[in-house]
Amino acid sequence: MHTTAIDRRRFIQLAGLSGLAAACKPSWLYAATEGRYAREASPEFHADVEFELTAGVTSVPMMPGKHTVVWRYSGKLLKGPETALVDLPGTHLGPILFFEKGQKVRIYFRNDLPEANIVHWHGLHVPQIMDGHPMYDVKTGSGYVYEFTITNRAGTYMYHAHTHEATGRQVYNGLAGLIIVTDAEDRILDLPRGEYDQPIVLQDRSFDADNQLQYVQSMRDRHMGMQGDEMIVNGKRHFVLPVATRAYRLRLMNGSNSRIYKLAWEDGTPLTVIATDGGLLEKPVTRAFVMLAPGERVDLWADFSGRKIDTDLTMKSLPFSGAMPGHGGGARSGMDHGGQGGGMMGHGMMGVMHGGEGGASGMHQGMNRMNHDEQSAGGGGADGHGGMGMASNSALPLGGEYAVFKVHIMREEKETHQLPSTLTKHDRLQRADAENAQSPRKITLSMARMQWLLNGREFEMEGASPEETITMGTLQLIEFDNGYTTGQHGMGMSGMSGMSGMSGMAHPMHIHGQQFQIIERKIRDDLSGGYDTVSPGYVDDGWKDVVLVMPGEKVTLLKRFDHFKGLFLYHCHNLEHESMGMMRNFKVV
Ligand code: C2O
Ligand code: CU
Ligand code: CU
């Protein structure tokens, strides 16, 4: 393996972290005890890399003062290059797993949590039984041996809990980590490496007075998704990355349960994107800001040369609207809501949503809209509280403006890295080659009876409808429709009685298995206002496994279903939505 030399020093200087200690303290011995794994190792599989991954309870310093109890994957390398597994001590994040394309990997997963758990390798293309489907949840004291070959392109992937109805809470408690895959193609490029290649995991958390994690506190948190009060980056609050005056590769991963970021440097320097979920783009693209929804990754080429020593540069999340009900969905959206509600939707409730969601700016927009829109003129916009407990009380309102992390220019350094003008060549998937080129598989995102649904259905462990059944080896045309066609943008009429005011919201849709390509987006005219504050930040040029679908938007994509038969999940990566059942299977036959 070529990884060793390149990666040996890679994370020694990972900012805010030090040392490479493995924190593995097995509570009991597996090796000697047959039958403790729900799936055992198979002797025919000859692994290049082998490690234990144990889910357990520990505590880490996240806030000043008392440590925070977290759930964490800890790792212990058994076989392979010593750099294959890099611990992030003092954080809730699991070790970073460094894989090489073509490597055979065996993972002895152990569950030392007080409840069931299973691990999913997000973005990796592996067989059903290796994919961490919730049907494979293992009980406390049990385990599961994973064995698979890395077939993915070089890129930034991740692993996280995927336990039945518990993914959101378990990931929030800490159960996630990064996977970095390298391959020959990536290695040959003159990209920043070692300490100049930094992962940046974006998360948000709320804490109680005792520094302990606070999960879903209200119906609002559950239905809209959990929004924390504090940014936690690479496991740390107020994260600062010390850098030299030169180029870096920053691997940004949105590990938040439901928070969507609109990332931009505070001084307006554009972002140069070199990779998305499934690895390198064909060539770098530049954006004034980049949207990053839960589960999405983006690699930036960030050049700090010419900057003054001892200065800071803040990565912010900029204001946007339209992602949430009453969230400034555009000039006419207020009227829309009122119109569709046909009187069923309480105006007072709309006001609550306006006030609650956007904080000060949202309230302002809400009130503006109230003034301009007689159909919504029912008052309540100024209040922002009460009514079904749906108001957001996050100190970092979604779509507000806040600091995400900082870069600190530490020292002068001369280097000669040039941003490559081409990075890789993609197999461009063609609509005409799809098995169903004339009839896309439509997946509508909706809500009814207090439940987010896919084609009107909730999760069934082993269920797959005819439109979810796919012949192996085919290219499929798939459409996620968040109210573009129905005009309901995420709210079925039947939902109205149960939950007035719950109109559509943005859903980051994820598909397991192979990466896909986005070929088209459409937005309903009347929702384009909010959409325009978001869509210039999409990076659809490369391979993806998560796509943000805004209210009123329809996204068309092409995806292959090769190599493995079986059940492969697709779901909303707003993890509260996923855990509540906004998830289904594709059945590959
Ligand atoms: Cu990252 Cu099925 O999820
Ligand atoms: Cu996944
Ligand atoms: Cu969702």
Side-chain angles (χ1 to χ4, degrees):
M1 289 302 130
H2 300 275
T3 45
T4 313
I6 294 161
D7 296 331
R8 184 171 297 273
R9 287 166 303 117
R10 172 170 259 162
F11 284 95
I12 289 175
Q13 298 209 18
L14 192 67
L17 308 165
S18 60
L20 298 172
C24 189
K25 199 170 114 281
S27 56
W28 37 269
L29 285 176
Y30 283 72
T33 327
E34 288 220 351
R36 299 203 76 168
Y37 289 106
R39 181 187 179 276
E40 304 276 355
S42 62
E44 310 82 64
F45 185 87
H46 301 289
D48 304 307
V49 180
E50 225 175 60
F51 56 90
E52 292 174 351
L53 197 69
T54 305
V57 182
T58 182
S59 68
V60 295
M62 282 176 113
M63 297 286 278
K66 195 169 177 190
H67 283 196
T68 302
V69 175
V70 296
W71 291 9
R72 180 173 191 266
Y73 290 121
S74 57
K76 186 174 155 201
L77 191 68
L78 302 173
K79 180 183 177 183
E82 111 190 48
T83 48
L85 197 143
V86 174
D87 203 37
L88 304 179
T91 78
H92 65 281
L93 294 168
I96 303 178
L97 310 177
F98 287 93
F99 294 141
E100 179 86 8
K101 187 172 181 178
Q103 251 174 358
K104 288 179 178 297
V105 181
R106 176 181 287 129
I107 301 150
Y108 294 88
F109 165 62
R110 312 167 161 199
N111 182 11
D112 283 351
L113 295 170
E115 63 183 47
N117 187 241
I118 196 71
V119 192
H120 165 58
W121 320 97
H122 178 128
L124 299 188
H125 183 39
V126 297
Q128 174 193 312
I129 58 165
M130 302 302 167
D131 197 39
H133 192 289
M135 75 170 84
Y136 302 114
D137 282 359
V138 297
K139 298 192 298 281
T140 306
S142 184
Y144 197 97
V145 183
Y146 293 91
E147 293 167 325
F148 52 84
T149 303
I150 307 293
T151 60
N152 284 72
R153 282 167 290 272
T156 310
Y157 304 92
M158 67 174 132
Y159 60 99
H160 59 77
H162 218 304
T163 315
H164 185 48
E165 293 178 342
T167 300
R169 179 171 45 81
Q170 293 191 346
V171 170
Y172 190 82
N173 282 348
L175 294 172
L178 276 171
I179 296 173
I180 293 180
V181 175
T182 53
D183 63 11
E185 194 179 40
D186 187 272
R187 248 192 325 269
I188 219 163
L189 290 167
D190 187 25
L191 295 172
R193 297 182 198 284
E195 64 171 293
Y196 307 111
D197 178 352
Q198 292 284 344
I200 298 184
V201 179
L202 309 181
Q203 297 179 309
D204 55 326
R205 296 289 184 271
S206 289
F207 298 87
D208 66 14
D210 220 20
N211 282 355
Q212 301 312 302
L213 293 173
Q214 269 195 312
Y215 190 50
V216 168
Q217 300 292 308
S218 65
M219 194 156 68
R220 187 254 161 223
D221 292 346
R222 190 170 303 285
H223 285 269
M224 306 298 193
M226 178 68 200
Q227 305 276 339
D229 290 333
E230 300 271 354
M231 280 307 307
I232 300 290
V233 174
N234 286 359
K236 300 289 181 190
R237 188 164 161 259
H238 299 156
F239 177 80
V240 180
L241 177 74
V243 298
T245 54
R246 52 157 288 155
Y248 281 74
R249 179 178 189 166
L250 302 180
R251 300 172 185 259
L252 270 45
M253 191 265 264
N254 183 346
S256 284
N257 277 37
S258 79
R259 182 174 294 275
I260 299 165
Y261 301 93
K262 176 176 174 175
L263 298 169
W265 294 116
E266 61 173 335
D267 68 350
T269 304
L271 301 176
T272 301
V273 180
I274 58 170
T276 52
D277 305 342
L280 292 168
L281 299 175
E282 293 195 306
K283 47 178 180 295
V285 303
T286 309
R287 296 278 187 275
F289 60 86
V290 167
M291 297 306 299
L292 204 66
E296 286 187 305
R297 290 88 70 202
V298 82
D299 291 12
L300 302 180
W301 171 283
D303 191 350
F304 305 112
S305 61
R307 291 194 179 267
K308 271 229 204 57
I309 308 296
D310 235 24
T311 56
D312 286 341
L313 182 64
T314 300
M315 178 69 85
K316 286 178 128 178
S317 189
L318 297 180
F320 62 92
S321 56
M324 294 286 230
H327 187 222
R332 288 175 50 212
S333 81
M335 186 185 298
D336 247 0
H337 289 296
Q340 275 160 38
M344 280 186 279
M345 186 181 297
H347 291 135
M349 188 59 209
M350 287 298 296
V352 169
M353 303 308 296
H354 290 310
E357 277 310 304
S361 70
M363 190 180 299
H364 184 69
Q365 281 164 347
M367 290 183 69
N368 264 345
R369 193 166 29 199
M370 292 290 177
N371 293 340
H372 294 153
D373 181 355
E374 12 164 287
Q375 290 200 50
S376 293
D383 181 359
H385 291 291
M388 303 183 75
M390 297 302 291
S392 165
N393 45 14
S394 169
L396 301 176
L398 186 89
E401 182 167 345
Y402 51 90
V404 176
F405 67 92
K406 261 184 191 160
V407 161
H408 182 71
I409 318 295
M410 285 283 286
R411 59 174 207 278
E412 197 87 42
E413 198 176 307
K414 288 271 171 279
E415 49 90 34
T416 54
H417 278 82
Q418 287 294 318
L419 175 65
S421 56
T422 60
L423 298 162
T424 184
K425 198 89 199 104
H426 289 162
D427 226 0
R428 278 282 153 198
L429 303 176
Q430 299 299 328
R431 187 191 287 252
D433 296 338
E435 183 214 48
N436 60 337
Q438 301 315 319
S439 52
R441 290 173 193 267
K442 290 185 201 296
I443 297 157
T444 61
L445 319 179
S446 67
M447 159 166 277
R449 299 174 303 281
M450 308 277 296
Q451 178 95 37
W452 296 105
L453 302 168
L454 298 167
N455 282 341
R457 300 185 183 93
E458 48 192 290
F459 181 57
E460 297 169 81
M461 188 63 85
E462 306 193 27
S465 64
E467 76 264 20
E468 292 165 326
T469 305
I470 288 170
T471 307
M472 189 176 75
T474 58
L475 175 70
Q476 297 292 326
L477 187 63
I478 297 173
E479 260 177 27
F480 287 120
D481 189 332
N482 193 6
Y484 174 80
T485 305
T486 60
Q488 294 300 320
H489 53 96
M491 177 165 64
M493 290 301 287
S494 54
M496 298 288 215
S497 51
M499 178 115 233
S500 58
M502 285 292 278
S503 59
M505 61 178 287
H507 299 285
M509 295 303 301
H510 170 52
I511 313 180
H512 288 214
Q514 279 154 296
Q515 300 282 321
F516 53 77
Q517 288 175 3
I518 297 162
I519 58 167
E520 191 175 59
R521 291 180 182 263
K522 285 188 170 159
I523 183 72
R524 258 174 54 196
D525 279 353
D526 54 349
L527 289 180
S528 63
Y531 190 71
D532 290 347
T533 69
V534 166
S535 59
Y538 290 148
V539 184
D540 290 346
D541 312 53
W543 293 100
K544 297 283 295 167
D545 59 47
V546 178
V547 58
L548 180 61
V549 191
M550 288 284 284
E553 186 173 32
K554 182 175 81 174
V555 177
T556 308
L557 59 90
L558 284 165
K559 183 183 185 295
R560 294 204 58 86
F561 292 79
D562 293 322
H563 311 307
F564 310 121
K565 292 184 179 175
L567 296 174
F568 294 89
L569 296 165
Y570 69 96
H571 58 87
C572 182
H573 220 281
N574 176 320
L575 295 181
E576 281 64 55
H577 293 183
E578 184 260 25
S579 297
M580 282 176 66
M582 195 180 187
M583 173 158 75
R584 296 281 304 170
N585 292 298
F586 281 124
K587 185 176 185 176
V588 183
V589 295

